[in-house]
Amino acid sequence: MVKYKLIALLAAVASATSAAFVSPALPPIHSNFALSSTRSSTSTSTSRAKKSVRERTSEEAVSLIRDVVQAAFDAGPRAAPSRTLQAYIAISRTLQDFSPIQRPGRRAEEFSAPVALRKLFERLGATYIKLGQFVASSPSLFPKEYVLEFQKCLDSTEPLDWKVVKAIIEKETGPINNNFAFIDETPLASASIAQVHAAKLKTGEEVVIKVQKPQIDNLLKADLNFIYIASRVLEFLQPDFERTSLSAVAGDVKSSMLEELDFEKEAENIEEFREFLRDQGLRDSVTAPRVYRDQTTKKVLTMERLRGVSMVDAESIRTITNDPESLIITALNTWTTSVMNMPWFHADVHSGNLLVLDDGRVGFIDFGMVGRVGEKTFNAVSELSTSMALGDYEGMAKALLNMGATDEDVDVQKFGRDIEQVMNDMAKVSPDTMSVGVSGDGTVQAAISFDENEVTDMLLKIVDVTEDNGLKLPREFGLLVKQSLYFDRYLKILAPDLNTSTDARMVALQAADSKVEVIV
């Protein structure tokens, strides 16, 4: 029921999006906006749980009012009208999709709540598209059917006119002619928050420019503040909702999404990762784009263009190297070592963000989404890895217990048996092979790939097992597991005969210089 309360909140705020924001002429008030991580929300209070709004204290009421005022101030006076109109259009079109009254030649879709909410989110634009991606990456927070449906949430939009993009670049970095020899006016990609253009610096380097769309920061702040306030009001009026940690989840969404708006922060992430590669002696085999700081601001990110192929394009990879197995092992060990040695980890290593470059190196790109692991989770993950290496499923169960939160006794032996079943199911999954054409010399060209939903489905099985055994895991563990499942698929594609439990190359160094076997 907790997960359905969360999704009900999202549906409600999507329907009423931003109409409540009219900024008062008040100065900013310091407000303690929610918890930055859902980990903190799992702690239980020793005080008696409130059952009615009548039991709320005056201090709690003042705290809510302060949060409402602060959120309205942050949203700005122009947020409400434009968002209200967009919401009206989005809701109308979504309802029309399922209405029995249709234009000639069209048939109404069969109603599905997850499908309807996903369509509404896509039509509401940037905030809700990113929110949909948050739902898709958080199976420990949201119901299975919504997690699966939101995998389809499309973050692809009509590109901005070049004149608009040019004006942003010049406002942020100065006249284009001063810095760039060439910028391709046709974008490589256009998403909800930014679009990307290929370019060449005056000094000759090939780069890509990530340009933030105009007013997107104000839009996201308005929407996210509204989501947060909606959760705070619901918790205030219905104290029982506090157990679902609605405002904590809303705070997590807010902080993670707003962080993606700061391209200087993403630039720092890239540079920290490049420094990590240097310190680990990996620069010859792994890389991340070089950032050009003189042409980078909070709204424009200029970085080296890496040319390569996706980690699932086995045929193309074999034209680059005759040892694809070593490539994927290098990529996995690099990522795992970064988890153990850096304060954050790359939390989106899908096949578009993990490349095999033309020179044979592994390339990590797109550092907008990162995860952070607390000490408790990190220690539990280390225990989990050791137990996996030993095939000790009860040990894995105990490690997960050390990581999560539970209000009841857990049958460790049963939990271990359930984990064993999930691991056996994972071992049975094979990648798909799809023929894509015949070359000029008559040879068949094929690409090996896997279904994105397959990764999510395996993650959902893990979440189901933990919840069936009375355990709630932190969101960052779900992010870690999802990345591990990506690597599991890459291993099946590029190294199907590799024995990960015995191969000596499957070793990463911990920060304390101790060795931990990495099993995926």
Side-chain angles (χ1 to χ4, degrees), residues 71-72 105 119 191 241 244 256 290 429 485 495:
K119 284 174 171 281
F241 270 49
T244 68
S256 63
R290 173 187 172 188
V429 177
L485 290 173

Side-chain angles (χ1 to χ4, degrees), residues 315-494:
E315 291 300 314
S316 296
I317 290 173
R318 289 190 179 95
T319 67
I320 297 172
T321 177
N322 58 7
D323 190 8
E325 188 176 271
S326 291
L327 274 178
I328 184 55
I329 290 174
T330 296
L332 171 57
N333 282 341
T334 299
W335 181 81
T336 307
T337 307
S338 74
V339 172
M340 294 187 290
N341 287 275
M342 296 184 68
W344 51 265
F345 62 92
H346 194 306
D348 199 17
V349 291
H350 65 71
S351 57
N353 289 339
L354 192 60
L355 306 178
V356 177
L357 305 186
D358 295 343
D359 61 9
R361 291 182 298 168
V362 173
F364 285 80
I365 63 173
D366 194 350
F367 287 78
M369 183 177 179
V370 299
R372 292 174 176 83
V373 182
E375 184 178 356
K376 178 182 176 181
T377 302
F378 177 81
N379 291 335
V381 168
S382 297
E383 295 170 7
L384 188 66
S385 297
T386 302
S387 297
M388 289 177 73
L390 299 173
D392 179 4
Y393 299 108
E394 283 191 28
M396 292 174 64
K398 291 176 182 176
L400 290 170
L401 284 171
N402 290 336
M403 182 189 309
T406 181
D407 295 326
E408 56 190 83
D409 292 331
V410 175
D411 184 338
V412 176
Q413 290 184 336
K414 175 185 176 299
F415 193 9
R417 291 193 298 270
D418 291 345
I419 292 172
E420 182 177 8
Q421 182 61 53
V422 172
M423 299 301 292
N424 289 337
D425 290 344
M426 286 177 61
K428 295 175 185 176
V429 177
S430 299
D432 301 320
T433 303
M434 176 180 65
S435 294
V436 295
V438 180
S439 67
D441 60 4
T443 59
V444 176
Q445 300 294 312
I448 302 177
S449 62
F450 60 84
D451 188 353
E452 171 75 14
N453 286 338
E454 192 177 85
V455 173
T456 301
D457 190 56
M458 291 308 305
L459 180 53
L460 285 165
K461 286 182 179 180
I462 294 171
V463 170
D464 285 345
V465 164
T466 60
E467 292 186 346
D468 288 345
N469 284 274
L471 189 66
K472 182 176 177 60
L473 296 174
R475 178 176 181 261
E476 70 268 20
F477 177 72
L479 286 174
L480 277 171
V481 172
K482 186 163 188 177
Q483 310 320 304
S484 297
L485 290 173
Y486 280 131
F487 279 110
D488 180 60
R489 296 296 160 274
Y490 302 150
L491 284 167
K492 283 182 167 63
I493 292 169
L494 299 177

Side-chain angles (χ1 to χ4, degrees), residues 159-172 174 176 183-187 195 197 211-214 300:
L160 292 174
D161 185 85
W162 166 244
K163 291 181 180 178
V164 176
V165 176
K166 179 182 178 182
I168 295 171
I169 294 173
E170 293 196 323
K171 179 180 178 182
E172 294 293 319
I176 285 178
I183 300 179
D184 191 342
E185 297 182 9
T186 303
Q195 68 184 46
H197 290 258
V211 183
Q212 190 173 122
K213 294 188 173 180
V300 172

Side-chain angles (χ1 to χ4, degrees), residues 169-367:
I169 294 173
E170 293 196 323
K171 179 180 178 182
E172 294 293 319
T173 66
I176 285 178
N177 291 338
N178 288 356
N179 300 307
F180 300 96
F182 164 79
I183 300 179
D184 191 342
E185 297 182 9
T186 303
L188 294 171
S190 178
S192 56
I193 287 179
Q195 68 184 46
V196 179
H197 290 258
K200 180 179 285 188
L201 295 177
K202 279 207 159 185
T203 49
E205 296 91 342
E206 287 191 336
V207 297
V208 292
I209 310 172
K210 184 176 179 180
V211 183
Q212 190 173 122
K213 294 188 173 180
Q215 301 302 315
I216 201 69
D217 52 346
N218 294 332
L219 177 65
L220 259 67
K221 286 176 183 177
D223 287 347
L224 292 170
N225 281 328
F226 187 52
I227 292 170
Y228 174 70
I229 289 304
S231 67
R232 288 280 284 116
V233 170
L234 279 173
E235 287 183 343
F236 185 86
L237 296 176
Q238 177 50 267
D240 185 57
F241 270 49
E242 286 186 335
R243 292 188 299 149
T244 68
S245 305
L246 289 180
S247 62
V249 173
D252 194 14
V253 172
K254 180 174 181 285
S255 60
S256 63
M257 288 175 59
L258 290 181
E259 188 173 284
E260 289 190 49
L261 285 177
D262 186 351
F263 290 174
E264 287 183 335
K265 179 60 180 174
E266 183 175 352
E268 288 177 14
N269 292 342
I270 297 171
E271 290 175 337
E272 285 180 22
F273 191 77
R274 284 173 60 87
E275 185 176 344
F276 155 77
L277 295 177
R278 184 197 65 200
D279 293 344
Q280 297 291 324
L282 294 169
R283 295 282 293 271
D284 291 337
S285 55
V286 188
T287 192
R290 173 187 172 188
V291 175
Y292 291 89
R293 279 288 186 174
D294 289 343
Q295 290 80 41
T296 293
T297 69
K298 287 184 179 294
K299 296 184 178 182
V300 172
L301 173 58
T302 304
M303 52 192 162
E304 174 187 8
R305 185 175 187 180
L306 299 182
R307 294 185 179 272
V309 299
S310 165
M311 193 60 76
V312 299
D313 190 350
E315 291 300 314
S316 296
I317 290 173
R318 289 190 179 95
T319 67
I320 297 172
T321 177
N322 58 7
D323 190 8
E325 188 176 271
S326 291
L327 274 178
I328 184 55
I329 290 174
T330 296
L332 171 57
N333 282 341
T334 299
W335 181 81
T336 307
T337 307
S338 74
V339 172
M340 294 187 290
N341 287 275
M342 296 184 68
W344 51 265
F345 62 92
H346 194 306
D348 199 17
V349 291
H350 65 71
S351 57
N353 289 339
L354 192 60
L355 306 178
V356 177
L357 305 186
D358 295 343
D359 61 9
R361 291 182 298 168
V362 173
F364 285 80
I365 63 173
D366 194 350
F367 287 78

